[in-house]
Amino acid sequence: MIYITGDIHGNPSRLEPASLRERGLAIGAQDYIIICGDFGLIWGGRHAQETERWLQWLSEQPFTTLFVDGNHENFDLLTSYPVMEWQGGKVHQIRNNIYHLMRGEIFTIDGSTFFCLGGAKSVDQARRIQGISWWPQEIPTIDEYKHATENLKKVGWAVDYVITHTAPSKWKNTADSLHAYDGCPVSHMLDALEEKLTYKRWFFGHLHINKYGKDRKDIWLYTDIVNLTGEAASPLAISFVENLLPEGLQRYLAEYRERNAGKQEIPDMERRYLRSEINIYVRRGTVSHETLKLLCDAYHLPLF
């Protein structure tokens, strides 16, 4: 099975076995995890020892880790890894089971096709140092964009899934985020591609939001781990966790479900009230932060 998550920024702890179990996930040797950019484990400098430790740990996991590049990557180091053909497209091989999905490539993974395009504009560029914590290669070149369009033409502008770091501006600019209306050239590139593309779902990170668009066509990922249907958490895990919740919160969740049963879209006010109710128990220390994340996944609530 294929799972997708958002930016990890050099810390893949959400992929540790205990964290996966909290989410009701058992990811094995035949499975893949795709990270939507800001992988951050190819960094160097003063972080080299820590990132190497995490890379080694990740390479020892049973699943295969795949990622598109984000804007917070050390592109000088990333592009120094060997290029190879993998599942129909080109990758940088980081370890035997860790691959960077290069820009504009189309891969066939577990019977599904994926178009991949990394990169984004850094809104915090002014606080970073070129060649140390920021690289201009964060923006795809014209040649990379042409390569992407040529590959899409070959498949008739139709793929099963799209994996990018940032989003087309038509979605991004609806977000309450620093990245909205930032004039990112990558988002404008993606606008042009999205108009022509036929696809089932589009997964992206960058905005640090867990959100699900209409009909789950656009999947906004940060800490969520979803499958290809866009489902974030196992019903079995949710029901198990909910049985352990304080009685008052169990009662509130039951009332919430009853009030909103059959609704196509739950009003934002309802979601905010539920999030506030859960926060009361988090502050009391009777609901852990791991449980909070699981509940936010299950009920599609903002994590922050």
Side-chain angles (χ1 to χ4, degrees):
M1 188 174 284
I2 297 169
Y3 299 90
I4 308 101
T5 190
D7 314 15
I8 62 170
H9 291 283
N11 182 356
S13 58
R14 80 185 68 151
L15 306 181
E16 291 180 318
S19 181
L20 293 174
R21 282 196 300 273
E22 286 271 359
R23 300 169 185 263
L25 298 175
I27 302 180
Q30 303 305 312
D31 299 326
Y32 302 85
I33 291 181
I34 304 176
I35 297 165
C36 293
D38 282 357
F39 181 65
L41 283 175
I42 315 298
W43 200 257
R46 62 190 177 90
H47 300 288
Q49 188 172 357
E50 181 183 1
T51 54
E52 178 56 35
R53 179 179 64 82
W54 273 120
L55 266 182
Q56 183 59 34
W57 174 84
L58 199 55
S59 72
E60 294 167 356
Q61 301 312 299
F63 49 81
T64 298
T65 300
L66 313 170
F67 67 97
V68 297
D69 54 89
N71 51 302
H72 292 154
E73 315 282 4
N74 182 331
F75 288 95
D76 291 338
L77 287 180
L78 181 59
T79 55
S80 71
Y81 283 88
V83 175
M84 60 176 286
E85 292 283 337
W86 184 84
Q87 306 289 56
K90 290 181 180 176
V91 298
H92 286 114
Q93 183 177 16
I94 311 302
R95 295 288 191 277
N96 285 334
N97 63 340
I98 305 176
Y99 302 98
H100 166 226
L101 305 175
M102 293 174 67
R103 294 173 176 174
E105 297 293 314
I106 297 173
F107 302 89
T108 301
I109 308 170
D110 209 14
S112 296
T113 53
F114 294 79
F115 169 70
C116 299
L117 186 70
K121 175 184 175 181
S122 290
V123 295
D124 60 351
Q125 179 182 330
R127 300 195 302 272
R128 292 174 175 266
I129 301 169
Q130 183 169 337
I132 295 176
S133 56
W134 173 81
W135 285 261
Q137 300 98 304
E138 66 180 24
I139 305 297
T141 64
I142 294 298
D143 285 343
E144 286 174 323
Y145 181 67
K146 286 180 178 177
H147 177 66
T149 57
E150 287 166 3
N151 281 338
L152 288 169
K153 285 176 185 176
K154 291 176 186 176
V155 295
W157 290 92
V159 293
D160 292 316
Y161 303 101
V162 179
I163 307 286
T164 57
H165 180 50
T166 192
S169 59
K170 73 171 199 174
W171 295 326
K172 187 177 69 176
N173 293 344
T174 66
D176 181 13
S177 168
L178 290 172
H179 303 284
Y181 303 101
D182 63 0
C184 176
V186 187
S187 290
H188 294 312
M189 288 180 191
L190 296 177
D191 283 333
L193 297 181
E194 198 276 336
E195 286 180 3
K196 296 183 180 181
L197 262 171
T198 299
Y199 59 93
K200 295 176 183 175
R201 281 178 194 84
W202 188 309
F203 302 88
F204 57 89
H206 190 48
L207 305 182
H208 290 199
I209 299 171
N210 294 312
K211 181 179 173 182
Y212 302 86
K214 186 178 180 182
D215 301 323
R216 292 188 175 242
K217 187 89 169 177
D218 47 305
I219 308 291
W220 313 44
L221 292 172
Y222 184 29
T223 55
D224 279 4
I225 301 174
V226 302
N227 58 29
L228 291 179
T229 67
E231 296 297 325
S234 157
L236 179 62
I238 291 299
S239 61
F240 175 77
V241 167
E242 287 188 358
N243 285 334
L244 301 178
L245 293 175
E247 185 177 338
L249 184 52
Q250 286 190 42
R251 191 162 52 245
Y252 191 93
L253 286 169
E255 292 168 357
Y256 175 89
R257 287 193 296 267
E258 185 176 347
R259 273 197 311 275
N260 295 290
K263 289 184 182 176
Q264 288 270 340
E265 189 169 337
I266 298 173
D268 285 343
M269 186 64 74
E270 280 277 6
R271 295 179 191 276
R272 286 199 290 273
Y273 280 146
L274 176 55
R275 185 68 173 80
S276 297
E277 187 70 18
I278 296 171
N279 273 346
I280 293 170
Y281 292 90
V282 173
R283 287 195 295 271
R284 290 176 184 168
T286 53
V287 168
S288 72
H289 285 282
E290 282 302 315
T291 298
L292 168 67
K293 287 191 286 186
L294 192 63
L295 291 171
C296 288
D297 285 351
Y299 287 93
H300 306 143
L301 307 173
L303 186 57
F304 300 106

